[in-house]
């Protein structure tokens, strides 16, 4: 009889869509980590590093899947509408949760209501880069020189971005507005393919985070004209900030964070926060991220949500003032 009851109990448990014991076992199958940009860009690299550590830690594969397009909003929308069961997560960024929100009047998702923010991962300054082999830049060695060139040749320079609405797009629009210059926007599906084209001289310039710019700079495929942090980066001590080149206070950090769809059970979001913050605080990931230009942050979900709210306000204003449009 007891045995019969035990079997019945087990059968009932198996039928429940979500039980305390099932939560305890999370993750019990592979977890998809959606990257809303192309492979080879900063978001992709951050995601792959963390996915590898989470796979080791949890014993279940964390599998990165790239869903690029429309400045990261296609991938973010996919996660916003995914089952809130902890098995589809977003490596979201300043783009999916702030800059694109300002640019697209009819975004298919709500960056706050449709997601459970878990933690901010890192925040990395951007470097303004051009190809050293591009003859246009033979005498351009810093941001002031670039502004002077753009003023001499209005509309002749092109810049690449990770897509319409990406932080790379709107940060450059913000610089255009600040310097009263005009450059043509060429959107890509991520900074990976965009930087390749800039280093080949197909597009004139780009602003992208240290993580992805640095290997090209070290290899001599790109040259840096300025950095968008308030202080110089210890990784690029000779590159002056945009702020010190005549635009005090100018700062744009590309930030990255983990999101689950809204409605994910709190036991799962808490477990994700614990695991990801442990990974971020590990020596291995901390030193890796620092060598790529940003600190390992591991903020709480509440702190992360505050950042997102303030960044949405900031970038809506940038769109209004610059008149930026989706390209
Ligand atoms: N730094 C940009 C962002 O996070 C682009 C990332 C990428 O192309 O991967 O919005």
């Amino acid at each position: 009889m007891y045995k019969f009851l035990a079997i019945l109990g087990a059968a009932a448990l198996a039928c429940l869509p979500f039980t305390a014991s099932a939560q305890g076992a999370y993750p019990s199958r592979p977890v998809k980590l959606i990257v809303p940009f192309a492979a080879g860009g900063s978001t992709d690299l951050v995601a792959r590093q963390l996915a590898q550590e989470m796979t080791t830690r949890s014993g279940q594969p964390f599998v990165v899947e790239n869903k690029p397009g429309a400045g990261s909003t296609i991938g973010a929308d996919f996660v916003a509408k995914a089952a809130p069961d902890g098995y589809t997560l977003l490596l979201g960024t300043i783009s999916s949760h702030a800059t694109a929100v300002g640019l697209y009047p009819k975004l298919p998702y709500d960056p706050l209501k449709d997601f459970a923010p878990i933690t901010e991962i890192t925040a990395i300054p951007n470097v303004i880069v051009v190809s050293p082999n591009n003859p246009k830049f033979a005498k351009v060695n810093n941001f002031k020189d670039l502004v002077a060139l753009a003023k001499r040749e209005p509309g002749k320079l092109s810049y690449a971005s990770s897509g319409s609405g990406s932080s790379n797009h709107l940060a450059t629009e913000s610089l255009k507005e600040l310097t009263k210059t005009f450059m043509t926007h060429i959107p890509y599906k991520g900074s990976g393919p965009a930087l390749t084209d800039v280093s080949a001289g197909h597009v004139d310039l780009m602003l992208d985070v240290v993580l992805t710019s640095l290997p090209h700079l070290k290899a001599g495929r790109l040259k840096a004209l300025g950095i968008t942090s308030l202080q110089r980066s210890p990784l690029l001590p000779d590159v002056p900030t945009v702020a010190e080149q005549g635009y005090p206070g100018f700062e744009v950090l590309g930030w990255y964070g983990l999101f689950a769809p809204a409605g994910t059970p709190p036991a799962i979001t808490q477990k994700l926060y614990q695991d990801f913050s442990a990974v971020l605080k590990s020596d291995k990931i901390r030193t890796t991220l620092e060598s790529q230009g940003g600190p390992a942050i591991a903020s709480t979900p509440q702190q992360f949500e505050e950042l997102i709210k303030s960044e949405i306000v900031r970038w809506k204003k940038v769109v209004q003032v610059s008149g930026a449009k989706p390209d």
Side-chain angles (χ1 to χ4, degrees), residues 30-154:
V31 176
K32 263 190 216 164
L33 184 54
I34 303 296
V35 165
F37 288 106
S42 52
T43 317
D44 182 64
L45 294 169
V46 167
R48 285 178 198 277
Q49 285 165 184
L50 293 179
Q52 198 182 0
E53 295 304 301
M54 283 299 294
T55 300
T56 311
R57 193 179 167 85
S58 70
Q60 288 293 337
F62 273 65
V63 183
V64 170
E65 220 176 273
N66 298 82
K67 283 200 187 292
S72 77
T73 59
I74 290 175
D77 189 45
F78 177 82
V79 177
K81 295 182 171 57
D85 56 8
Y87 290 95
T88 308
L89 306 174
L90 176 71
L91 201 309
T93 75
I94 175 175
S95 299
S96 59
H97 279 71
T99 53
V101 181
L103 193 76
Y104 292 101
K106 285 194 185 133
L107 206 59
Y109 58 88
D110 184 311
L112 295 165
K113 287 193 197 126
D114 291 342
F115 293 89
I118 311 282
T119 188
E120 185 186 359
I121 293 167
T122 188
I124 314 175
N126 292 281
V127 191
I128 300 163
V129 291
V130 298
S131 163
N133 303 322
N134 187 332
K136 286 184 194 167
F137 302 114
K139 291 194 181 129
V140 172
N141 291 310
N142 56 44
F143 184 64
K144 276 189 177 164
D145 295 344
L146 176 69
V147 173
L149 174 66
K151 287 200 184 210
R152 271 199 313 274
E153 314 244 341

Side-chain angles (χ1 to χ4, degrees), residues 284-303:
K284 184 174 171 193
I285 288 294
R286 198 174 41 76
T287 51
T288 303
L289 287 173
E290 279 168 9
S291 74
Q292 294 169 334
I297 295 181
S299 60
T300 63
Q302 293 72 24
Q303 289 166 330

Side-chain angles (χ1 to χ4, degrees), residues 37-38 41-44 93-95 126 162 166-168 190-192 208-209 254-256:
F37 288 106
S42 52
T43 317
D44 182 64
T93 75
I94 175 175
S95 299
N126 292 281
S162 289
S166 66
S167 62
N168 318 63
S191 55
D208 196 37
V209 289
W255 49 262
Y256 303 81

